[in-house]
Amino acid sequence: MSFRATSFSVNRRHLLRSSAALAATGLAAPALIGRAEAATLKLKLSSSQANDPKFANGRVYYDNLVKQIAASNLAGQIEVAFFPDNQLGQEIDVINSVKLGVIDMMVSGSSIAANLVPVVGTYDLGYLFTSFPQQTKAFDAGAAAPIEQALLKGANIRIIAWAYNFGSRSVLARKAVNNPDDLAGLKIRTLPNPVITECLRLMGAAATPMAFGEIYTALQAGVLDGLEHDPPTIVASKFFETAKFYSLTQHNFSPLAIYCSETTLNRMPASTREAFTDITRKAAADTRAHGLAVEKEALAQLKDKGVTIIDCDREAFRKRVLPQSEAFVKAHPDAKPVVDLIRATSV
């Protein structure tokens, strides 16, 4: 199914201009007041997920952003067009377009940006976060700033807000997975990101990187035995139609990033840029609250669709993944203070 881009237009701003006196007649003439329409800044917002207003984080964020714009003094100055379901390309292509300023904004997990700036992959380390509230507390304490700065410097992309993916990432498979031995040999789709791929490999899977838009057909064809994702995404994308066992490994509480091209932000006057950044953060906060609420609802829907929910041996998986953080920090020393701060944060 394809979807048209959704546009949001707000009332247009007009500027008054004065006319000059009619010099040709040599007579004084009254000022003529007209209206000149100010150019509306048009932005493109991309998401790989389906156009689902409840279970797809990109659409939920877009709807929240639209509401915030309408209620702000930017109404009439900014128009956002939403492109869900990979309409603008696979995520790796979109993030490169955001880097170049061809696409303005993107809603996606932090994982995709690690392909451009590897230290962003810090957040993909298995069992790094213990919950989404713990993640927010760690970010507010300073664990977000170094990663944001690295991405801006290395890829010209600003993370203007953080939200949550709609639940922790767990394993959906064609067979029951209770422990690492059950996962052995299963071809499990991972994000095309070396850190999260290594996490699933350590957990025991035959980790298989693949673009999001290719998952469903790969499951249908038997190329994959399963995937790892959050419950609402599995519902929205109908992955439950091809795999019926969902093991709550909860190996990754992946932060959702709202990416914006620095080129786009630099096109805005300073006052507009400040107001827009504030709006994007308010929309992210609304999206976080929504995400926490719908995870349980999505799990219930999966049960109704015939999926078996398995409370697996998470500690066994966590022990297998422990060496990953040490190896990553050794390869990326600038990640160490971020990892230490996150691990020291509790809720």
Side-chain angles (χ1 to χ4, degrees):
M1 182 181 294
S2 62
F3 300 89
R4 292 182 181 178
T6 304
S7 294
F8 172 68
S9 298
V10 288
N11 295 329
R12 297 179 182 275
R13 180 178 65 167
H14 295 85
L15 298 175
L16 296 176
R17 69 182 180 186
S18 299
S19 66
L22 298 176
T25 65
L27 300 174
L32 300 177
I33 306 298
R35 286 182 178 271
E37 208 172 71
T40 301
L41 180 61
K42 298 182 178 182
L43 305 179
K44 294 179 181 179
L45 173 65
S46 176
S47 171
S48 66
Q49 295 197 357
N51 197 23
D52 188 310
K54 177 180 281 189
F55 291 135
N57 55 45
R59 171 63 189 276
V60 170
Y61 180 77
Y62 168 73
D63 288 345
N64 286 326
L65 181 61
V66 163
K67 291 175 186 176
Q68 290 292 341
I69 291 175
S72 76
N73 61 5
L74 292 186
Q77 300 181 45
I78 292 180
E79 176 183 306
V80 180
F82 179 53
F83 298 86
D85 208 30
N86 294 298
Q87 287 183 17
L88 299 183
Q90 299 295 343
E91 286 187 305
I92 188 62
D93 300 316
V94 172
I95 194 81
N96 275 290
S97 293
V98 174
K99 175 182 178 180
L100 297 172
V102 176
I103 296 173
D104 303 292
M105 299 176 66
M106 178 184 188
V107 180
S108 183
S110 57
S111 307
I112 195 67
N115 291 284
L116 303 182
V117 178
V119 74
V120 183
T122 303
Y123 298 148
D124 297 321
L125 292 170
Y127 297 97
L128 175 65
F129 298 105
T130 59
S131 70
F132 282 118
Q134 183 248 2
Q135 179 185 104
T136 295
K137 188 174 181 181
F139 280 10
D140 288 346
I147 302 300
E148 293 170 356
Q149 292 161 7
L151 185 64
L152 181 59
K153 181 179 179 181
N156 197 45
I157 296 173
R158 187 177 293 275
I159 296 176
I160 50 175
W162 292 101
Y164 300 151
N165 274 291
F166 291 176
S168 57
R169 300 180 78 97
S170 291
V171 174
L172 179 74
R174 296 181 185 276
K175 59 170 280 189
V177 173
N178 291 284
N179 54 57
D181 290 341
D182 293 336
L183 196 56
L186 295 187
K187 297 185 294 294
I188 302 298
R189 180 267 178 180
T190 71
L191 288 153
N193 167 287
V195 179
I196 203 161
T197 299
E198 176 66 3
C199 174
L200 267 292
R201 187 193 69 78
L202 289 170
M203 288 169 64
T208 307
M210 184 179 292
F212 186 86
E214 300 171 2
I215 298 173
Y216 190 91
T217 53
L219 287 167
Q220 278 186 318
V223 174
L224 293 175
D225 296 309
L227 70 146
E228 50 87 43
H229 226 302
D230 59 76
T233 298
I234 290 169
V235 171
S237 300
K238 302 185 185 302
F239 296 139
F240 58 81
E241 294 178 347
T242 55
K244 294 294 186 180
F245 296 91
Y246 192 49
S247 299
L248 300 179
T249 55
Q250 298 179 338
H251 53 273
N252 189 301
F253 288 86
S254 175
L256 187 69
I258 314 303
Y259 299 106
C260 189
S261 172
E262 187 70 356
T263 300
T264 295
L265 290 172
N266 286 337
R267 296 202 328 255
M268 300 179 184
S271 59
T272 301
R273 184 165 59 246
E274 183 178 351
F276 182 68
T277 300
D278 182 58
I279 283 169
T280 61
R281 290 172 179 163
K282 290 178 179 177
D286 294 339
T287 304
R288 286 198 296 269
H290 179 93
L292 290 176
V294 299
E295 180 179 13
K296 290 182 179 179
E297 184 177 345
L299 278 171
Q301 286 203 23
L302 288 176
K303 288 181 182 179
D304 291 342
K305 299 293 185 181
V307 175
T308 300
I309 309 299
I310 301 170
D311 190 16
C312 60
D313 187 354
R314 282 185 291 277
E315 184 60 19
F317 287 112
R318 191 188 69 81
K319 287 180 178 178
R320 286 236 185 165
V321 175
L322 279 176
Q324 184 184 31
S325 293
E326 183 179 348
F328 186 86
V329 166
K330 186 176 181 179
H332 304 282
D334 47 344
K336 187 177 189 309
V338 175
V339 171
D340 289 346
L341 180 55
I342 292 170
R343 294 213 186 277
T345 301
S346 59
V347 292

